[in-house]
Amino acid sequence: MNIFNLLAQDEYRQQRTSRFIVEGALFQLILSFIMIALYLNTEIKPLILLAIPVFFFLIYIVLRYIISGIEYSEVFSKDEYMQMKKRNIFRSIGFAIVFAVMMILVKSSIFESIAVAFIAGVLWLIMDTISLSKSYRKNQEL
């Protein structure tokens, strides 16, 4: 199995995404060595030191992908931009509703479940909006 089968079908997006993954892996490697040095010289729990590079890796890849503006390569006109913006709003609301229902089924506190789902939906919408606007601006420049 090839890792590129999991990525987009567009060759440019595959190359950019794989570049982000490699960059994140290098940063993770450097951070891991720093965390080993911290472990040897401090009393910080090892689990925390192990989690920091992993979370940095994941956050780095997501942020680079969002800011790069390669997700919405087919959005060129203002109408397409507005249509995708509406679609992203409905997708975020749908995600928040499904997430809230799942959280309510798992947790007992309805308020916490709805609050976490609302925050997750808002973050999803913000990420999609940033990615869409970056892609639209990048496509306008082409």
Side-chain angles (χ1 to χ4, degrees):
M1 182 172 168
N2 190 352
I3 186 76
F4 294 113
N5 292 337
L6 301 174
L7 301 175
Q9 298 301 319
D10 183 12
E11 185 178 342
Y12 176 73
R13 286 173 62 184
Q14 283 181 352
Q15 289 175 350
R16 292 292 301 243
T17 305
S18 60
R19 180 178 172 195
F20 301 154
I21 292 170
V22 170
E23 289 172 1
L26 288 174
F27 286 135
Q28 183 181 19
L29 178 68
I30 293 167
L31 266 176
S32 295
F33 284 123
I34 293 170
M35 295 302 127
I36 290 170
L38 282 174
Y39 174 70
L40 295 174
N41 297 318
T42 63
E43 297 294 322
I44 301 174
K45 293 183 181 182
L47 183 61
I48 294 171
L49 294 175
L50 286 172
I52 290 172
V54 173
F55 286 128
F56 180 82
F57 174 73
L58 295 173
I59 291 170
Y60 179 81
I61 292 172
V62 169
L63 289 178
R64 283 282 285 159
Y65 187 78
I66 289 169
I67 293 171
S68 70
I70 60 174
E71 186 173 359
Y72 298 97
S73 58
E74 70 282 352
V75 178
F76 288 99
S77 69
K78 188 70 172 173
D79 291 336
E80 290 172 328
Y81 175 77
M82 295 306 289
Q83 182 181 9
M84 291 303 283
K85 196 171 183 179
K86 286 179 187 176
R87 191 193 88 184
N88 288 346
I89 290 170
F90 288 121
R91 284 177 50 192
S92 297
I93 292 170
F95 169 75
I97 291 170
V98 169
F99 193 61
V101 169
M102 298 297 284
M103 290 280 294
I104 289 170
L105 293 175
V106 173
K107 289 186 120 189
S108 60
S109 174
I110 294 176
F111 177 75
E112 279 183 30
S113 300
I114 292 173
V116 170
F118 176 76
I119 291 170
V122 168
L123 287 175
W124 184 302
L125 180 62
I126 289 170
M127 289 189 312
D128 271 348
T129 302
I130 290 171
S131 182
L132 178 61
S133 62
K134 292 279 187 179
S135 296
Y136 179 65
R137 273 190 251 132
K138 187 175 181 180
N139 292 342
Q140 290 298 312
E141 292 172 3
L142 295 177

